[in-house]
Amino acid sequence: MADRMVLTGARVVLPTGVVENGRVIVDGTLLAGHAPADTPSTDLSGHWLVPGFVDMHNHGGGGASFTSGTADDVLTGVRTHHQHGTTTMVASTVTGDMDFLTHRAGFLSELVEQGDLAGIHFEGPFISPCRKGAHSEKLLRDPDPADVRKLLDAARGTARMVTLATELPGGIDSVRMLAEYGVIAAIGHTDATYEQTVEAIEAGATVATHLFNAMPALGHRAPGPIAALLEDERITVELINDGTHLHPAALELAFHRAGAARVAFITDAMDAAGFGDGVYHLGPLEVEVRDGVARLVEGGSIAGSTLTLDTAFRRAATVDRLPVEDIVRAISANPARLLGVYDKVGSLEPGKDADLVVLDADFALKGVMRKGAWLIEP
């Protein structure tokens, strides 16, 4: 790693817009505003230069699970996603019994504290059996605030988000408690009505866990949670842009109704991301991945994804035809703000970590830098 370098010639996406023939300065592990005249430079003409991606909902990759793997397994998953441009990520768990989850929270918190992860997201066990998806029904439980608090305590300040079916007993009180502790209360795996969803938002919920998936469909007489989540300016909606979880028209509806400031692209990735087809486990449940689509062996429900964020970016640009500035907000800036790390990552600004991604003119990934070091050199 050079102490300083200047990246020149690319189309650089800044918070203020796209700069043609831009100039980004790396000084050690950080981005800088100035560099001496003799600083080595790298010409990236014909490419895009964007901030490193931030994934706030990710269960693993590279054949390794954040839910059940060893420390080496978790780091394998982290490095796999690094190779696809995700320089900041949260480890998401799946439903388990409370003893297992509290132990897992303590284990993952150590990896957060040493800087490998940006936090922990608890997806389950406080979700609806009607919308359980790839979660073990026998391990589900109502969101009793005392149980939610146990997970927060076990995470030692590293919990960033808890997904809840807020219509269940204790759901609203748990949302209020999470808001008081500065932890994101996310509405998901829910069978809530429109009115129940509005109540949860008023109580402090701020995120929709993978909007459209694991919740009632939008109806014209009973609009359900989707309408409430899309219409409220306080809600950021997660979207899995892999072409399997969402029809392009559904993504367009969500993106343009919520606006670029209220969308967070996520992977919801499981072990097979960046690894390949085969049989895996998501918590206690067996999953078969075939042609890149993960489904439960028993019942056939979609079981997370094999998505990486470079693929989500490219699809958003080439299939969905979204403006690149809007994609960058959804894949970097918005999740960084939600996770409370926007002062360090999520945009290309002096003083922030030198986390960036180089894409070619067709939006294929060509380079990844994290904290000033090239993980993939363009």
Side-chain angles (χ1 to χ4, degrees):
M1 181 184 74
D3 289 336
R4 290 192 185 94
M5 68 182 84
V6 181
L7 308 176
T8 63
R11 303 178 76 182
V12 180
V13 182
L14 301 176
T16 52
V18 177
V19 176
E20 302 287 343
N21 193 27
R23 189 168 181 263
V24 172
I25 300 167
V26 177
D27 188 351
T29 63
L30 302 176
L31 299 175
H34 304 282
D38 61 350
T39 301
S41 66
T42 299
D43 184 8
L44 295 175
S45 297
H47 292 75
W48 291 89
L49 194 57
V50 301
F53 309 146
V54 180
D55 193 353
M56 57 189 283
H57 188 156
N58 188 319
H59 298 277
S65 170
F66 297 159
T67 295
S68 58
T70 65
D72 285 343
D73 291 335
V74 174
L75 294 177
T76 293
V78 169
R79 286 191 291 265
T80 296
H81 286 283
H82 284 171
Q83 294 292 311
H84 293 274
T86 299
T87 51
T88 302
M89 76 195 74
V90 164
S92 300
T93 63
V94 296
T95 294
D97 65 42
M98 288 299 295
D99 287 344
F100 173 80
L101 289 173
T102 54
H103 179 269
R104 196 69 188 167
F107 165 77
L108 290 171
S109 68
E110 296 178 8
L111 297 175
V112 178
E113 290 159 0
Q114 68 188 36
D116 297 303
L117 296 168
I120 304 170
H121 163 218
F122 296 102
E123 187 179 20
F126 312 116
I127 61 176
S128 172
C130 301
R131 305 287 174 178
K132 63 183 184 298
H135 292 255
S136 173
E137 184 168 355
K138 67 182 180 181
L139 296 174
L140 300 181
R141 58 174 60 210
D142 291 338
D144 184 324
D147 285 339
V148 178
R149 174 66 185 273
K150 286 179 184 176
L151 295 185
L152 300 189
D153 289 346
R156 303 198 302 263
T158 66
R160 297 290 176 263
M161 183 163 68
V162 179
T163 291
L164 307 161
T166 54
E167 75 278 9
L168 296 176
I172 297 300
D173 287 340
S174 290
V175 168
R176 292 194 182 103
M177 183 191 70
L178 290 166
E180 289 173 3
Y181 278 83
V183 177
I184 297 165
I187 300 172
H189 288 276
T190 177
D191 204 40
T193 64
Y194 174 89
E195 291 77 15
Q196 289 170 326
T197 306
V198 169
E199 182 184 10
I201 297 170
E202 292 297 332
T206 55
V207 166
T209 295
H210 43 54
L211 188 76
F212 296 106
N213 297 113
M215 60 183 63
L218 184 67
H220 63 291
R221 292 193 181 93
I226 294 172
L229 294 164
L230 281 176
E231 72 184 10
D232 198 296
E233 295 297 319
R234 293 168 288 187
I235 293 292
T236 298
V237 298
E238 293 183 347
L239 298 176
I240 308 171
N241 193 21
D242 62 354
T244 298
H245 281 77
L246 296 175
H247 189 282
L251 183 134
E252 182 180 14
L253 169 66
F255 207 100
H256 292 288
R257 178 62 183 89
R262 292 205 295 120
V263 172
F265 282 137
I266 62 164
T267 60
D268 194 16
M270 46 81 71
D271 312 17
F275 200 67
D277 289 357
V279 177
Y280 300 83
H281 283 85
L282 190 59
L285 303 180
E286 193 172 48
V287 176
E288 182 180 13
V289 178
R290 184 181 301 174
D291 297 329
V293 178
R295 293 185 180 275
L296 290 181
V297 170
E298 184 176 343
S301 292
I302 293 177
S305 85
T306 62
L307 184 64
T308 54
L309 281 180
D310 59 329
T311 298
F313 193 116
R314 191 175 191 184
R315 181 178 176 85
T318 61
V319 176
D320 305 305
R321 302 290 183 181
L322 296 172
V324 175
E325 307 96 299
D326 290 351
I327 301 170
V328 167
R329 293 176 78 179
I331 213 163
S332 298
N334 296 344
R337 285 196 182 94
L338 284 165
L339 295 173
V341 294
Y342 189 67
D343 60 325
K344 297 179 181 179
V345 300
S347 65
L348 299 178
E349 296 177 89
K352 292 193 174 185
D353 289 350
D355 292 357
L356 53 87
V357 175
V358 181
L359 305 168
D360 69 14
D362 297 319
F363 302 101
L365 185 142
K366 294 297 180 181
V368 180
M369 176 182 286
R370 185 172 190 265
K371 296 186 185 301
W374 287 115
L375 307 182
I376 299 175
E377 188 166 0

